[in-house]
Amino acid sequence: MLGTWATAGALPAAAAPDPSPAAAGAPASAGLLAAMQRDFGLTEAQAEQRLATEKKATAVEPEARKAAGAAFGGSWLDAKTGKLTVAVTDGSAAAAEAVRATGAAVRTVEHSAKELDAVKARIDKLSAPAGVGSWHVDPRANTVVVNVVEGQRSDNDVQAFVSRARAAGPVTVEETPEAPRTFAAGTVGGDPYYTGNVRCSIGFSVHGGFVTAGHCGGAGQGVSGWDRSYIGNFQGSSFPENDYAWVNVGSGWWTVPVVLGWGTVSDQLVRGSNEAPIGASICRSGSTTHWHCGTVLAKNETVNYSQGAVRQMTKTSVCAEPGDSGGSFISGDQAQGVTSGGWGNCSTGGETWHQPINEILNRYGLTLHTA
């Protein structure tokens, strides 16, 4: 039953972890490589090369951001060239040269990241109607993108929201096929953890417990595992505005730094939480749909769920379904975040948001359990 329970690696005392992880220093487990080959149409060698490229870009990004200074306009990974691209504002030749010296490519743009973040912050203060799905800063387009649910663009409330958003600064309107929703589910026997009649997925082990999605349970609520034995309680939970929570682990349960592969792929060791850039590959593990991969599409996106807006989310092209909420998003061996919600499914495709892991760790003063 071990493979049917945990995505973060908390195990009942009667079970023994059998993660079959990649060897220390290897770029990824065989399972992660297999998932990337399946979802990206890559060979094993191409998947390994992509992970190596993304690891380098992730390491370069903080240095390039610092080099750009006030001229920084955002960054993303160009999958075709394999290089991190950094936007700098017009007239910043010195900043551009400093960025190039880090090994990153440079694109000149009109607006700085600080300016665009300020535009998004002004839009965050607006009350969004149900026909508006989300909004985020797009560094490649150098604008704030407002996503309107397909077929709702002519709605009076949507038009009024878009007009107010445009007044805040540079805005581009795009359409999304469906309204965003969270991915909690009703009770299904044998799956990872339960809060009442809600089933969700564990995200990542932290010292003393695990992190997951806030909409899965409120502070103080009890949590049981796949075998319905008691694990612990929600020690902190925030939803909406945020979508994160953490649960303490006790009563004979413990934590390990592993994201499980559900018997479909090999399990993956978690070695850190360096944030992958836009354009990087990312994979998700959840109790309903198991392993799926995609790319990072946007960061710091505000998502307008029916329960209320959730801010600072990362959007991906990875699919998910009810019950996957709270599960692990990982890039290579680096933890990225916990599954919140999205649209679509894993039969026809869709998009999914996660709440970044480092925000959760900082909010609750937690330490990620790493290998």
Side-chain angles (χ1 to χ4, degrees):
M1 295 296 291
L2 171 61
T4 65
W5 181 74
T7 55
L11 307 179
D18 183 22
S20 303
S29 70
L32 181 57
L33 292 172
M36 291 181 67
Q37 291 174 69
R38 177 196 66 198
D39 292 341
F40 289 113
L42 304 174
T43 65
E44 183 176 355
Q46 288 171 330
E48 289 178 340
Q49 180 58 49
R50 177 159 183 159
L51 285 173
T53 296
E54 291 172 353
K55 184 176 182 179
K56 181 178 179 181
T58 298
V60 166
E61 201 278 342
E63 184 181 353
R65 178 191 291 261
K66 182 178 180 180
F72 180 71
S75 64
W76 61 93
L77 178 67
D78 187 326
K80 291 183 178 179
T81 65
K83 294 190 70 173
L84 181 76
T85 299
V86 175
V88 298
T89 52
D90 289 324
S92 304
E97 285 305 312
V99 169
R100 289 191 184 95
T102 68
V106 172
R107 179 184 294 179
T108 303
V109 296
E110 181 179 355
H111 306 288
S112 69
K114 183 177 181 179
E115 291 170 339
L116 293 176
D117 286 343
V119 173
K120 180 182 176 293
R122 288 192 284 272
I123 298 174
D124 278 344
K125 295 178 181 179
L126 304 177
S127 178
V132 175
S134 63
W135 53 95
H136 68 275
V137 172
D138 184 345
R140 287 169 289 197
N142 199 226
T143 185
V144 175
V145 174
V146 174
N147 294 293
V148 174
V149 178
E150 196 172 274
Q152 298 295 309
R153 200 158 183 169
S154 60
D155 178 82
N156 290 336
D157 291 340
V158 171
Q159 289 183 340
F161 178 88
V162 169
S163 294
R164 292 193 294 270
R166 290 190 190 280
V171 164
T172 300
V173 178
E174 297 182 358
E175 288 193 352
T176 185
E178 300 175 23
R181 67 188 190 281
T182 56
F183 283 131
T187 298
V188 178
D191 280 299
Y193 85 84
Y194 302 89
T195 305
N197 67 344
V198 173
R199 170 172 60 87
C200 282
S201 301
I202 290 172
F204 293 95
S205 290
V206 296
H207 290 286
F210 65 83
V211 294
T212 186
H215 70 263
C216 292
Q221 286 189 276
V223 172
S224 59
W226 62 269
D227 60 353
R228 295 295 186 168
S229 67
Y230 176 75
I231 298 176
N233 296 81
F234 279 87
Q235 298 297 298
S237 179
S238 179
F239 179 79
E241 187 64 29
N242 305 293
D243 193 5
Y244 49 60
W246 83 281
V247 175
N248 67 327
V249 167
S251 302
W253 295 71
W254 67 87
T255 63
V256 291
V258 173
V259 174
L260 295 181
W262 296 91
T264 303
V265 299
S266 301
D267 303 328
Q268 178 64 42
L269 283 175
V270 178
R271 298 187 184 277
S273 58
N274 293 327
E275 187 176 332
I278 292 172
S281 64
I282 191 168
C283 297
R284 181 193 55 72
S285 180
S287 63
T288 300
T289 58
H290 304 166
W291 274 94
H292 287 275
C293 299
T295 57
V296 178
L297 299 177
K299 295 185 180 184
N300 190 24
E301 182 152 25
T302 297
V303 182
N304 188 36
Y305 292 129
S306 61
Q307 301 95 325
V310 176
R311 312 188 194 286
Q312 295 181 307
M313 302 264 267
T314 296
K315 181 164 67 176
T316 76
S317 63
V318 187
C319 67
E321 295 181 9
D324 287 328
S325 277
S328 322
F329 266 94
I330 189 166
S331 183
D333 57 11
Q334 299 296 305
Q336 298 297 305
V338 299
T339 304
S340 173
W343 61 265
N345 56 56
C346 289
S347 295
T348 60
E351 294 176 343
T352 303
W353 289 274
H354 69 73
Q355 190 88 71
I357 182 68
N358 289 328
E359 180 184 357
I360 308 170
L361 299 177
N362 291 336
R363 168 64 178 81
Y364 293 119
L366 300 170
T367 301
L368 186 67
H369 192 168
T370 58

